[in-house]
Amino acid sequence: MQKMWKKGSTEGSDRFEYLQTLVTEFQDTDSEEAKEQVLANLANFAYDPKNMEYLRDLQVADLFLDMLTEENANLVEFGMGGLCNLSMDPECRHLILQSSGISLVTNCLSSQREETVLSAITTLMNLTTPSSRSEITDPAILQCMLRFSLSESPRLRNLAAVFLQDCCSKEQVARAEQQMQGQQTAVGIPLPKD
Amino acid sequence: MAAPANNNSGCWGIPDVYKHHEQRKICISRPKYRDGRKAKAVKVYTINLESSYLMVQGVPAIGVMPELIQLCALYGVVEEYKPLDEYPAEEFTEVYLVKFQRLTSARAAKRHMDEKSFYGGVLHVCYVPEYETVEDTRLKLQDRRRYIIRAVQNKAREREQKEAVNEEPTSSIRATTSETVINRHDKTSDNDNTAIVSHYSGFPLLPLPPQEYHYYRHTNQHGTIPTEDKMGTLHNAIIDTKRHQAHNSSSSQTSSDRDRGTEQRLTSNQSSAAVRFVPRTTQLENRKRRMEEAVEQSLTDVTMNNEPLIGPKLPEPPKLDMEDVSLNTTVNLIRNTMKQVESVPDLKPVAKKMKPRRRI
């Protein structure tokens, strides 16, 4: 506390240095455990809007995106969580879109972990802009959401419902439903009665 | 799934047990520089994990539901609550579902109630977003996005102001530092209050435990940007800071009491509209307790601020006459010493807080 009182004006640069230390440790360490911890740290820092600017400068969005193709499921989950937090900020959203984040995030929709999938759905919603909408409302993604909306898990069901209601048009959903029906009778997934 | 029973309200149906209800193992292998004050698991928090619905486990099964809800109400308006009888609980304990009106309240309640003892049991409090409706989820996400945008804009504005300050440093430096001092003083009571007080301001809160984010607290130089409170609407937080300062700086007890009175009326109106299931007796008890706490707090406020007391004083202890000059002198000496000793602990904590701590 005392430190902050004294250096009130340099608090921002303190924080920046701290975050930079985290990024450096993440890049330098060979320990998988340390990597996971630091990544979780950074992802949680991304929850606080006060850190957005520093995380942007440190290109943490790209760091998170890199994690989505890792084999370690923890790294994928934490990276996806970090993106879910970062993408709330319009400027970070822009950075993620520039680094072709949509396709990387979309791949996470098939993750085995619910938390990863939930982060991916929220991130896709956050990434929706007039120019990115067509990519995000790709029929494949809509079909995925339609399947999630029938899920046993209420969180998944709700989030997919919000996506389908808020991010795309009724016509798009109807078209995706039709396409899916063909597939589903083939695969044998039962549809709900109503 | 029992379709007819679940039809009316998906969220109050039969509960399922989810993995995220469990407490994860804490992490013990962090290096010093990124080891917080509190033992925590390696976990990433996102808005998806948070919710205005909380599940409270480990409540002793001794009929303390009203007390539990009163405790919850310290952190914000409770919209609905119910015991989850079907949820697997440890022997002699109960599980409750509590829905707060606002996510920030739920966050504060979780932070302060989790792992705290309660009537001989230890509570485990967790978010249960699976009880949300689609609409709840939508609103939660919208609120979060709005909050982030506003917070980022505010920060940009703050930076601009800072740059302006740097251009003409002589005039503004003094103001800034004095404000910082006031804010420091506020902070000792814990800046997390901002979230809580802003929408449940009927009474001053109990002092809260120190926070783990301590290090990266915001120094709130301009007095208008909310502190560590991570979500929660900004305009509330602004009002709150002002009120907070007003509280500290107001010299007369009566005016702050009047404030409190109006606030209390406001909240009771608000809660009668929003709280559906709280029985009348509970509300009365709540109000009584709040009043008591308000009085208690205002008394401590006065001593803390070291202001002159207004109102009748306690009668002076009768002076003993020992019928001997020497003995009387001794008695006086002892009495004065006792007075000095008594008055010391009142002053000490204030002095201590103001004194900068040395870092080792």
Side-chain angles (χ1 to χ4, degrees):
Chain A
M1 190 186 285
Q2 198 259 332
K3 188 178 171 189
M4 291 205 26
W5 187 356
K6 232 172 147 182
K7 301 197 205 169
S9 56
T10 59
E11 188 223 337
S13 56
D14 274 3
R15 191 187 288 233
F16 181 81
E17 273 167 36
Y18 183 84
L19 294 172
Q20 194 163 36
T21 316
L22 286 179
V23 173
T24 310
E25 185 185 347
F26 183 82
Q27 283 160 341
D28 291 353
T29 187
D30 292 323
S31 151
E32 199 78 348
E33 196 188 1
K35 246 184 152 80
E36 287 179 16
Q37 288 169 11
V38 176
L39 184 63
N41 264 189
L42 285 169
N44 283 320
F45 272 113
Y47 191 87
D48 187 343
K50 285 202 283 294
N51 298 320
M52 292 296 184
E53 188 192 340
Y54 312 127
L55 294 174
R56 250 184 266 141
D57 293 347
L58 290 165
Q59 293 175 306
V60 170
D62 286 321
L63 187 154
F64 288 153
L65 284 169
D66 281 345
M67 291 304 108
L68 302 188
T69 44
E70 287 285 323
E71 293 210 345
N72 179 338
N74 282 336
L75 292 180
V76 179
E77 178 184 332
F78 299 161
M80 199 55 253
L83 285 169
C84 175
N85 288 337
L86 269 190
S87 58
M88 296 273 168
D89 169 50
E91 282 191 56
C92 289
R93 174 177 69 200
H94 181 69
L95 291 176
I96 297 169
L97 287 172
Q98 274 187 329
S99 308
S100 51
I102 293 178
S103 63
L104 287 164
V105 174
T106 307
N107 285 335
C108 288
L109 292 176
S110 55
S111 166
Q112 295 290 304
R113 292 207 189 176
E114 189 181 26
E115 226 44 68
T116 307
V117 177
L118 292 170
S119 294
I121 300 175
T122 306
T123 306
L124 284 177
M125 285 196 264
N126 288 340
L127 292 178
T128 308
T129 64
S131 52
S132 69
R133 189 177 291 270
S134 63
E135 196 181 346
I136 284 173
T137 54
D138 185 274
I141 296 181
L142 294 201
Q143 283 170 30
C144 203
M145 295 298 167
L146 281 168
R147 240 181 306 128
F148 291 150
S149 68
L150 310 174
S151 159
E152 290 262 299
S153 155
R155 295 169 70 203
L156 197 52
R157 215 163 49 213
N158 283 347
L159 214 51
V162 176
F163 183 97
L164 290 170
Q165 288 167 25
D166 293 4
C167 294
C168 34
S169 67
K170 280 190 182 134
E171 295 74 41
Q172 282 177 310
V173 177
R175 215 176 307 137
E177 255 168 354
Q178 266 179 357
Q179 288 167 340
M180 222 169 94
Q181 222 153 359
Q183 287 170 19
Q184 267 192 356
T185 41
V187 187
I189 301 171
L191 277 171
K193 298 222 166 65
D194 43 2
Chain B
M1 271 206 192
N6 277 355
N7 254 355
N8 47 357
S9 59
C11 63
W12 303 99
I14 294 159
D16 289 311
V17 183
Y18 291 94
K19 228 175 79 188
H20 71 99
H21 298 175
E22 290 164 24
Q23 232 157 354
R24 301 251 192 113
K25 276 196 190 129
I26 60 160
C27 169
I28 50 163
S29 61
R30 289 189 181 98
K32 192 88 191 150
Y33 92 97
R34 50 180 172 83
D35 202 12
R37 313 186 123 203
K38 216 170 144 187
K40 285 196 168 171
V42 182
K43 190 175 179 179
V44 171
Y45 278 92
T46 65
I47 189 66
N48 295 324
L49 274 166
E50 289 194 302
S51 179
S52 50
Y53 291 80
L54 289 184
M55 181 188 279
V56 186
Q57 291 173 265
V59 183
I62 49 170
V64 286
M65 182 167 83
E67 286 78 5
L68 178 75
I69 302 308
Q70 280 172 24
L71 180 65
C72 288
L74 285 175
Y75 303 102
V77 177
V78 175
E79 266 191 5
E80 292 176 55
Y81 62 88
K82 73 159 195 177
L84 293 176
D85 295 329
E86 311 89 341
Y87 197 88
E90 266 182 54
E91 222 180 344
F92 311 121
T93 69
E94 288 170 342
V95 181
Y96 286 89
L97 179 65
V98 180
K99 189 200 179 212
F100 282 89
Q101 198 175 51
R102 296 167 49 116
L103 177 66
T104 37
S105 316
R107 186 184 293 144
K110 179 185 184 297
R111 182 172 277 188
H112 295 115
M113 286 165 63
D114 192 23
E115 288 178 64
K116 294 287 150 59
S117 68
F118 180 74
Y119 288 91
V122 176
L123 300 180
H124 173 46
V125 185
C126 62
Y127 297 116
V128 278
E130 56 275 6
Y131 286 95
E132 289 171 0
T133 62
V134 174
E135 194 54 29
D136 286 332
T137 307
R138 170 181 290 122
L139 287 175
K140 179 177 82 172
L141 291 173
Q142 279 175 358
D143 278 354
R144 176 82 189 147
R145 268 181 226 124
R146 247 179 253 146
Y147 168 72
I148 295 284
I149 288 170
R150 246 188 296 176
V152 170
Q153 280 173 351
N154 262 309
K155 189 142 196 255
R157 209 172 302 141
E158 189 191 5
R159 207 183 322 119
E160 278 167 28
Q161 277 177 5
K162 220 179 249 176
E163 275 156 22
V165 165
N166 284 342
E167 277 167 25
E168 35 168 346
T170 39
S171 60
S172 42
I173 272 182
R174 212 178 305 128
T176 321
T177 44
S178 67
E179 243 176 331
T180 331
V181 174
I182 293 166
N183 282 328
R184 279 288 112 205
H185 193 71
D186 283 351
K187 295 267 167 57
T188 54
S189 70
D190 192 333
N191 53 17
D192 242 322
N193 288 1
T194 50
I196 310 152
V197 180
S198 56
H199 42 78
Y200 197 84
S201 45
F203 55 94
L205 283 149
L206 298 168
L208 298 165
Q211 293 303 301
E212 62 270 30
Y213 289 118
H214 189 75
Y215 239 70
Y216 282 91
R217 272 182 189 173
H218 190 63
T219 357
N220 203 357
Q221 300 215 6
H222 299 274
T224 46
I225 288 77
T227 47
E228 197 64 282
D229 158 27
K230 286 179 176 171
M231 201 168 132
T233 44
L234 231 41
H235 70 277
N236 275 340
I238 292 165
I239 289 165
D240 174 69
T241 357
K242 279 178 189 156
R243 196 198 308 133
H244 223 97
Q245 282 174 354
H247 258 285
N248 272 356
S249 55
S250 75
S251 51
S252 83
Q253 198 195 332
T254 41
S255 80
S256 64
D257 270 348
R258 212 182 305 129
D259 277 351
R260 219 165 264 141
T262 50
E263 279 161 21
Q264 214 147 23
R265 238 176 295 129
L266 278 175
T267 18
S268 56
N269 281 346
Q270 196 188 354
S271 53
S272 65
V275 179
R276 275 168 246 170
F277 303 143
V278 181
R280 174 88 184 137
T281 46
T282 319
Q283 279 186 339
L284 287 173
E285 272 171 34
N286 266 336
R287 202 171 303 158
K288 195 177 148 203
R289 213 174 67 171
R290 265 180 250 147
M291 299 270 268
E292 281 166 11
E293 276 166 357
V295 168
E296 232 175 75
Q297 185 71 27
S298 63
L299 282 177
T300 50
D301 271 349
V302 171
T303 45
M304 286 289 281
N305 288 353
N306 211 12
E307 291 160 355
L309 270 165
I310 301 165
K313 284 188 181 174
L314 286 173
E316 288 257 72
K319 289 198 173 150
L320 276 173
D321 191 9
M322 304 301 281
E323 291 170 10
D324 180 271
V325 182
S326 159
L327 277 177
N328 275 341
T329 317
T330 318
V331 166
N332 274 334
L333 210 76
I334 292 171
R335 193 181 288 131
N336 286 338
T337 317
M338 291 301 283
K339 263 187 196 162
Q340 274 174 14
V341 169
E342 275 172 0
S343 64
V344 165
D346 267 357
L347 290 168
K348 234 181 187 167
V350 177
K352 230 181 200 166
K353 264 173 202 158
M354 301 305 288
K355 196 176 146 194
R357 228 183 328 141
R358 194 163 294 149
R359 286 178 53 80
I360 302 157

